[in-house]
């Protein structure tokens, strides 16, 4: 298991155990407990715990500072609209995969549906389109598929 996956799993465990869907960590202590550099914690937070993924990060710097990760709880329609808005005009293949994995993890999209959505916009399909249009087309298709889920 990659270190970033280990960090992610630990944060998700903390979130799942919290009634408030919140995890609070002190970056250096958390990094020491996992045997990694504090910068690796920053990387995971900035790449996997973003508003687009359904999380809000709050932090206070300095001695006794903390990082608070909160899972945003929305109703189904609000969550779908948030996802559509977060896709924007363009989305790459990796961001699409992460977005759909998060949707499955949060129960917003069934695993089989996510597989179908991913296959409809994968690189094999998109290579039939000019490279500069691939991410634009991927975003448009994903938005339409999410609209059907409303």
């Amino acid at each position: 298991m990659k270190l970033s996956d280990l960090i992610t799993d630990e944060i998700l465990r903390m979130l799942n155990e919290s009634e408030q869907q919140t995890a609070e960590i002190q970056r250096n202590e958390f990094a020491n407990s996992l045997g990694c550099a504090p910068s690796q914690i920053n990387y995971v937070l900035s790449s996997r715990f973003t508003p687009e993924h359904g999380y809000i990060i709050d932090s206070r710097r300095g001695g006794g500072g903390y990082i608070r990760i909160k899972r945003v709880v929305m109703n189904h329609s609000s969550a779908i609209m948030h996802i559509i808005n977060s896709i924007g005009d363009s989305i790459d293949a990796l961001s699409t995969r992460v977005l759909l994995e998060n949707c499955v993890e949060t129960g917003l999209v069934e695993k089989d549906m996510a597989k179908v959505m991913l296959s409809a916009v994968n690189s094999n399909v998109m290579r039939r389109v000019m490279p500069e249009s691939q991410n634009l087309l991927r975003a448009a298709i994903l938005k339409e598929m999410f609209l059907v889920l409303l």
Side-chain angles (χ1 to χ4, degrees), residues 61-146:
R61 298 195 181 276
Y66 61 83
I67 298 172
R68 185 177 296 132
I69 305 109
K70 181 164 180 56
R71 184 180 287 145
V72 179
V73 180
M74 298 182 200
N75 68 37
H76 181 78
S77 296
S78 295
I80 295 290
M81 288 309 299
H82 176 75
I83 289 167
I84 290 169
N85 290 331
S86 73
I87 291 171
D89 293 331
S90 176
I91 188 168
D92 61 36
L94 179 60
S95 296
T96 299
R97 178 177 298 280
V98 170
L99 174 71
L100 290 171
E101 286 173 357
N102 185 57
C103 287
V104 169
E105 181 180 306
T106 59
L108 196 58
V109 175
E110 296 292 326
K111 189 174 186 176
D112 289 342
M113 175 61 78
K115 285 181 182 178
V116 169
M117 293 171 82
L118 191 59
S119 69
V121 296
N122 73 22
S123 297
N124 288 332
V125 172
M126 291 297 144
R127 71 182 170 155
R128 290 166 174 74
V129 178
M130 298 295 290
E132 59 274 9
S133 300
Q134 291 177 3
N135 292 344
L136 297 170
L137 180 60
R138 181 180 289 112
I141 292 170
L142 274 175
K143 286 179 180 181
E144 289 300 318
M145 288 190 282
F146 275 110

Side-chain angles (χ1 to χ4, degrees), residues 24-84:
E24 191 171 299
I25 60 172
Q26 291 189 313
R27 190 179 66 134
N28 290 339
E29 289 177 15
F30 189 60
N32 285 338
S33 72
L34 295 174
C36 66
S39 61
Q40 290 170 304
I41 304 297
N42 288 347
Y43 168 75
V44 169
L45 291 174
S46 65
S47 63
R48 299 187 183 190
F49 292 91
T50 63
E52 292 79 21
H53 294 112
Y55 300 94
I56 296 174
I57 305 291
D58 180 34
S59 64
R60 191 178 90 200
R61 298 195 181 276
Y66 61 83
I67 298 172
R68 185 177 296 132
I69 305 109
K70 181 164 180 56
R71 184 180 287 145
V72 179
V73 180
M74 298 182 200
N75 68 37
H76 181 78
S77 296
S78 295
I80 295 290
M81 288 309 299
H82 176 75
I83 289 167
I84 290 169

